[in-house]
Structures are given as C-alpha cells and as structure tokens.
Amino acid sequence: MSFYVESRRRRYAASVVLAGLAAFPLLAQALDQGFYVSLMSRVLIYALAATSLNLVLGFGGMVSFGHAAFVGLGAYTVALLTSAGAVSAWVAWPAAVAVSALAALFVGAVSLRTRGVYFIMITLAFAQMLYYLIVSLKTWGGDDGLPLAARNILGAGIDLKDDANFYYAVLACLVATLLLVGRLIRSRFGRVIQGIRENEARMEAIGYPVFGYKLACFTIGGALAGLAGALLVNQTGLASPNQMFWTQSGMLLVMVVLGGVGSLYGGALGAAALLILEEVLSGYTIHWQLGVGAVLLTVVFLAPHGLAGLATVVARKRHG
Amino acid sequence: MTQLVLEQALNGLQFGLMLFLLAAGLTLVFGIMDMINLAHGSLYMVGAYIAASVAEQSGSFVLAVIVAVGATAIIGALLELAVLRRLYRRDHLSQVLATFALILVSNEAVRMIWGDQPVMLAMPEALSGPVEIGGFMYPAYRLLIVVVGVVAAASLYLLVAKTRLGMWVRAGASNREMAQAMGVDVRRLFTIVFAIGAALCALAGALLGPLLAVQVGMGESILILAFVVIVIGGIGSVRGALVGSLIVGVSDTLGRALLPTLLREIVPLEIAASLGPALASILIYLLMATILFWRPEGLFPARA
C-alpha cells in the first residue's frame, strides 16, 4: 500500500467513460429504450454513495458498517422538506447533505473511540438504532416509508421530471463528487488520512491530531452519502426505512470491495458492475442472486484488489 | 404484573439460550480464525429447512432435529474445506465480501429447493399445551427449548473447559501462532470447530422453527443479534457469549413486553404507543454502545 496516484492512463479512461455516459440518454432515446436512462440514474446514484464510502473506508481506513443510514437520512430529509413545501432542489439537497453530515459527526465522535471489529459493530449499532426509530415513527410513514409527491425543482428551465434531465443532474453530482474526492485525497488532508490508515501510531507520534482528521473524513463521507440519499429519493419517489437496513450498508461495502478499496473510481466501478450484473442476470433467470454470489466469490479469489486492481494488472501486462 | 414479568423473563431466557447457540459458534470462528463469517445465519436457516422437511416426511420431531443437526454439521464442514479455508489469511473486507456472496448463494439455493413461501414446522403434539410451573401456566414447548438450551450450553462448557479438544480451542483463541507452535493441528481444529458451530446453528433453527416462520432471510435478522452478543461478551470467549446472549435475550424480550406499558405512565398514550416498540428495538444496540464505551474489549476479553 502507498499513496494513491492517479495514472494518466486511468484519467484518460475516465474521460472516455464520461463521454459515453453523457451520450447515453441520447443513444437510449434514439433506440427507444427510455427505461435504461432511469436504470442508469440508479447506477450513478449508487456509484456516488459507494464513492463516499470508499473515501471513509479506502482512504480513511475506517470500516463503517452503517453507511446506508446516512443515505437514508438524506432521503428522509428531502422527503420531509418537500412535503413541508420546500420543493427547490437548492434548498432540499443541501439540507440533506447538512443533516447527514451532522449525524456522521455525532456517530463518528462516539464510534472513533473504538477500533477494528468494535468500530464496525458500533457504526452498525447506530445505523440499526436509526432504522428502528424511523420504522416506529408512524407520522413519517413507519414501515411503508415516506413518499415524495414530485421530484424537486431545479429552476433555470430544467424539469427534473424528465428522466433524461434527472439523469444529467445525477451525472453532474457524481462528477462533482469524484472531482472533490480526487482533489481531497491529493491534498495535504488526504495524505494525512492515508498516513493514518497505514500507521496510526506513527502519525500520532509525529504530532497529527489523528482523531480530528479521522472524524473530518468520516463526516465528509457521511455528507456525500446524504447527497446520494437526496438523489435516490428523487429517483424512486419514496424514502423507505429499507434503504437504511444493515443489508444496504453491506451492499455498499460489497460494491466498494468489488470495485477496489482505496481507488478513486473503485466505488463507482463496483456499484456499476454489481447493479448491471443484477439487471442482466435477472433478465435471464429468477435465480439471478445465485449468479451474483458466484461472480462475487470469483472476484474475491481471482482479483484480490477488486476490479480496479484487475484493470491495473491487465494494463501492466499489456504495456510490459 | 409479576406474573407477566416472570413469564416474559422466561421467554427472554429462552430467546437468550437460542441466541447463545448461534453466538457460540460465531465467537469461536471469529476468535480462533479471526474470520468474519456473515454466512453463519445461513446455516441456521438451512438447519430449520432441513428439520421442516424431515418432520413433514417422517412425522417425528425428534428425528427432524437430529437429522438437521447432523446434516448441517456436514454442510458446515464441507463449506469450511471448500471455501472458508481459503479466506483465513485474507483481510476482513475480503471475508465480508465472500461470506456476503455465500448468503446470496444459500438464500437462492434454499429458494430453488423449497420455494418462496415460508415452510411450516409443527411442534410435537404432546408439547403443544401449557404446563403449570410455580403457580402459573407456561407453554410446554417453550419450556423444552429452555431445557435443551441449558443442556447444550452445559455440554459446550464441559467440552471447552474439560476436554483436550476444548483446550486446543482455548489455546487457539488466545494465541493462534503459539498453539500452532506447540503442535496443535490448527487446520483440522478449524474444520471441527466450524462443524460444531454449524450443528449448534441447526439446533437453534430447528427448535425455533415452530415458533418463528421458516423462511428465506431468517438468518440475516438473527445474525446481527448474534454479532451484538459476541461483541458484548468479548470475541472468542464462550463464557462471554453465554452472558451476552442472556443479557440481550432478556433485555430485548422484557423491553418489548414492558416498555410500552411503563411509558404509558409517564407520557401521553399516542406517543407511548409509537415510542415504546422503537425504544425496545433500540435498547440492545444502546446497551452494546454503552458497554463498548466503558469496556472496548467486551465483558470477557479472550486475549488477556
């Protein structure tokens, strides 16, 4: 392990993918396959959520098993604000980010006193507490969740009710997040948190306030998860407690590990691979979960550093 | 009121003992092999399904439990030899990914064999009525679960504390490398421990089958409780798992039964009605967070 360095080749590949994603709705509409635009919006939203977890997990070295709680909080914030009349995306989405950031600040401040497996379990505990609290609140829909009457209003003549417009809004959020996270991990802050991941005791001895750095990283990760939640509730039209259950947190972890822990595009890659695999397999058989499980097992044994790691190995082999 | 408390305390004891059957295997796997096994709950599910099938075919509940325990132990051992053995040296994240994949595979396999609908597992006819203990009526079947749970816990204690195998297990949990250097065949020990853990899972699944629904996904909800138990008790410690299970089982059951009533005394009815169940569900997580705050290694740390 060392500091994350983004190769020129990888940046080139990323811009090709971005161009493809930008052209995607036009292509789908030309082929009269509008359904796929909505599907890809979902993929991009999960890519954002997984990227936010990868910042905490891959660069900060904190295995958070409750990340879905911050996604869910963002979704509920938007649903509540919208039903209260705050329909503007410029109000509701930043509010979702702020609420999730505050929650992450609190959870992190308590959980970061423990480490290792105990940290995993205590973050899980907080997420489960929130899940049960929301389920029991009948005024917020309880088990059934809280519906969003209509997608938020962006202004400037862009109607998010149109799936293609919503897709571009999601894509813009994802690109902004990737730029932000990329910037962050190259900065001094990013070097310090990666240093802490490698050797916490040494960083502490050098004089860095380790707890503060980790808490900041955890909070930023939570805030970005809140943004993913705000987008998710707009996509599905429902803020549901199921979005906060521990299996969802597990799913996000699986996406990150599948894509590549501690690789800038790892989270996005894993989210896309998993969701598209699910979609393709479920078209062939109702027992698609069996296939997903088999693919995940294969990845664990054949590609220990995830898909991003696999790409690096292939590229190295080809270019000697 | 006292009768309600007593009855719920017995229910809590029963739930705690069943949790212990799951947590004991989980804590040993975690403690000795340093392995996070999310698929532990799947063995509990498989055990319950096998018991339901055998009970339906043969009509004998006892036979169903015995077959379920034996078959699941074999499945557990095969799983260890085929997949899990390759994961011990990997980091926790790879283990999470691989065992999460195993959950997907086993859920789908169960769905292919037994279908989507929950399966019925009937309790033995003779035990379906209540019995009188100390002046109040209590379901005979639940009492049987308590008895079997106590016997299983006691035999596990004897196995771990008094036998050679148990000594190896304890040695492995407190220091794996040292145990290996002293000549313990850790590889074989791992397979045996895993098979025992799987058998205990199946016992819990078969016994709880008539009380809860036997369905796909039943493993996931109880798995997290078992993790809470072993973290409270201290990873790798069977004694800790027992104490943790009883704490979680009793406080969860009593909380669910009594908190809504108690809340009604202090806050308005409609708030109590929605807050009560929430607080009861949150209680055990709050308990875990509090215990970890004061004792970050759990109540009985195995690695002294």
Side-chain angles (χ1 to χ4, degrees), chain B residues 212-265:
Chain B
L212 311 170
V214 178
Q215 60 189 351
V216 172
M218 65 189 280
E220 280 94 287
S221 42
I222 204 160
L223 172 77
I224 290 301
L225 282 184
F227 267 111
V228 169
V229 162
I230 69 171
V231 167
I232 288 180
I235 289 164
S237 158
V238 175
R239 188 168 48 146
L242 180 62
V243 174
S245 304
L246 295 181
I247 293 177
V248 168
V250 172
S251 57
D252 186 57
T253 311
L254 277 184
R256 266 168 222 285
L258 301 180
L259 266 181
T261 329
L262 288 179
L263 274 177
R264 222 168 290 163
E265 313 274 314

Side-chain angles (χ1 to χ4, degrees), chain A residues 121 125 136 246 254 287 289 300, chain B residues 90 108 112 224 231 278 288:
Chain A
M121 293 308 296
S136 72
W246 77 267
V254 165
H287 301 298
Q289 285 201 5
V300 173
Chain B
R90 305 285 296 275
E108 210 49 60
M112 285 166 88
I224 290 301
V231 167
M288 173 169 90

Side-chain angles (χ1 to χ4, degrees), chain A residues 93-120:
Chain A
W93 297 5
V97 171
V99 167
S100 293
L102 269 179
L105 183 68
F106 172 74
V107 171
V110 178
S111 308
L112 283 170
R113 287 171 201 282
T114 62
R115 53 208 59 221
V117 172
Y118 298 96
F119 179 79
I120 301 181

Side-chain angles (χ1 to χ4, degrees), chain A residues 297-302 304, chain B residues 33-36 76-96 98-99 102 176 187 190-191 194:
Chain A
L297 274 178
T298 317
V299 169
V300 173
F301 290 118
L302 296 184
Chain B
M33 311 170 199
D34 196 25
M35 154 112 186
I36 298 185
L78 290 177
L79 201 62
E80 200 274 343
L81 289 171
V83 181
L84 298 170
R85 168 162 290 190
R86 298 163 212 276
L87 291 168
Y88 297 145
R89 291 185 174 282
R90 305 285 296 275
D91 56 279
H92 282 158
L93 282 174
S94 303
Q95 296 168 353
V96 166
T99 52
L102 284 179
R176 186 170 26 157
R187 278 167 74 90
F190 285 0
T191 313
F194 207 85

Side-chain angles (χ1 to χ4, degrees), chain A residues 106-178:
Chain A
F106 172 74
V107 171
V110 178
S111 308
L112 283 170
R113 287 171 201 282
T114 62
R115 53 208 59 221
V117 172
Y118 298 96
F119 179 79
I120 301 181
M121 293 308 296
I122 210 161
T123 47
L124 170 76
F126 276 113
Q128 288 293 93
M129 285 189 228
L130 200 64
Y131 167 79
Y132 284 116
L133 190 69
I134 298 263
V135 163
S136 72
L137 286 175
K138 296 283 175 282
T139 43
W140 290 2
D143 261 338
D144 301 328
L146 200 61
L148 185 75
R151 282 187 182 157
N152 290 126
I153 291 167
L154 200 58
I158 303 169
D159 186 5
L160 288 184
K161 286 184 197 76
D162 179 61
D163 275 341
N165 284 346
F166 182 66
Y167 172 91
Y168 284 116
V170 172
L171 185 60
C173 285
L174 176 63
V175 170
T177 301
L178 282 171

